[in-house]
Amino acid sequence: MTSNLTLALLQLPVGADVSLNVRRAVEGITQLKAENPELQLAILPESFNAPYGVEYFAKYAESIPDGATCRALSRLALQLGLYIIGGSIVERDAGKLYNTCTVWAPNGSLIGKHRKIHLFTMNIEAAHGGGVQFDEGAALTAGSELTVVKIGQHKVGIGICHDKRFEELARIYRNLGCSMLVYPSAFCICQGPMHWELLQRARATDNQLFVVTCSPARDNMSGYVAYGHSMIVDPWARVQREAGEGCEFIVEQIDFDMVEQVRRQIPIHQQRRTDVYAKARADS
Ligand SMILES: *[C@@H]1O[C@H](CO)[C@@H](O)[C@H](O)[C@H]1NC(C)=O
Ligand SMILES: *[C@@H]1O[C@H](CO)[C@@H](O)[C@H](O)[C@H]1NC(C)=O
């Protein structure tokens, strides 16, 4: 079993036309697979099928797995024989809405469904780059489960955007045996320059695994301007690949042996002093 994985990040533009957004994703993955037969995994951005904004969530919500977007991803995974981490869409279930990532196996079956656990809540003052208020909780319900999928032999933990700010979630994924974390994300341009790369490299430093994000392309005219900069960070916490701001596709091979190498050479996990922490911990 090879420890290499070839993956693609599709930093796609997202507009108001759902079928156009989905067609761009399908055509993009199809083109990349034709050009790179070794491609095993394609990753899409958060909210890749519809505009992102509290006022849009109910309008664009679909059911999982029988909605039109899911059926397109399932068919595509089967047709091309690859895994797809389907960014996120707004899911409607039993009268509630969730921001949900679906994961598809090469046989077209749904192998994971992650509902964003930490809803995006932010009130940035104007002094910090223009000012942004956002509260996903006004329209969405938070997920309450972690999501680990197997991509080939490798365990991968899934989070969505704001989830990557929460180091405990990443640590639990690491303890569950994950060697990669994938966060489809749409950071705004005010938090992006400060925290996008920093958070991704922080999660990689702490947990010694690959950390991958995929953003929509930036559109200055959109109501919510996504940062771009989709990125692969390696287990040494180095940026292995980074997109710019516009529409861009990245294809990259990663080597999972690097996870074991880093953990052996800097064995912080074995050095943890859980006895000391337990004694000192004020909360649970
Ligand atoms: C499809 O693939 C997944 C993951 O490899 C596997 O768990 C599942 O049983 C397969 N489903 C079918 C119908 O073969
Ligand atoms: C968006 O605006 C920024 C600065 O205002 C500019 O640097 C960038 O090129 C623009 N991007 C696009 C895709 O128009």
Side-chain angles (χ1 to χ4, degrees), residues 83 105 107 109 111:
Y83 291 91
N107 61 12
S109 67
I111 54 169

Side-chain angles (χ1 to χ4, degrees), residues 122-191:
M122 185 158 289
N123 189 354
I124 303 273
E125 292 168 8
H128 302 283
V132 174
Q133 287 82 38
F134 207 94
D135 180 15
E136 277 188 325
L140 302 182
T141 301
S144 51
E145 281 173 48
L146 276 64
T147 307
V148 175
V149 295
K150 280 192 94 176
I151 303 295
Q153 298 309 302
H154 309 288
K155 284 190 186 171
V156 175
I158 307 289
I160 299 174
C161 199
H162 203 52
D163 283 338
K164 91 174 177 185
R165 287 188 176 273
F166 296 84
E167 48 88 18
E168 287 169 292
L169 176 64
R171 182 147 33 95
I172 294 169
Y173 278 141
R174 189 252 190 257
N175 292 344
L176 289 171
C178 292
S179 41
M180 178 162 76
L181 305 180
V182 175
Y183 298 94
S185 301
F187 262 38
C188 61
I189 48 173
C190 76
Q191 49 171 341

Side-chain angles (χ1 to χ4, degrees), residues 208 236 257-268:
Q208 302 175 307
W236 293 101
D257 281 348
M258 206 186 276
V259 174
E260 185 277 325
Q261 288 161 14
V262 176
R263 291 178 182 183
R264 177 166 42 79
Q265 293 176 53
I266 310 180
I268 48 174

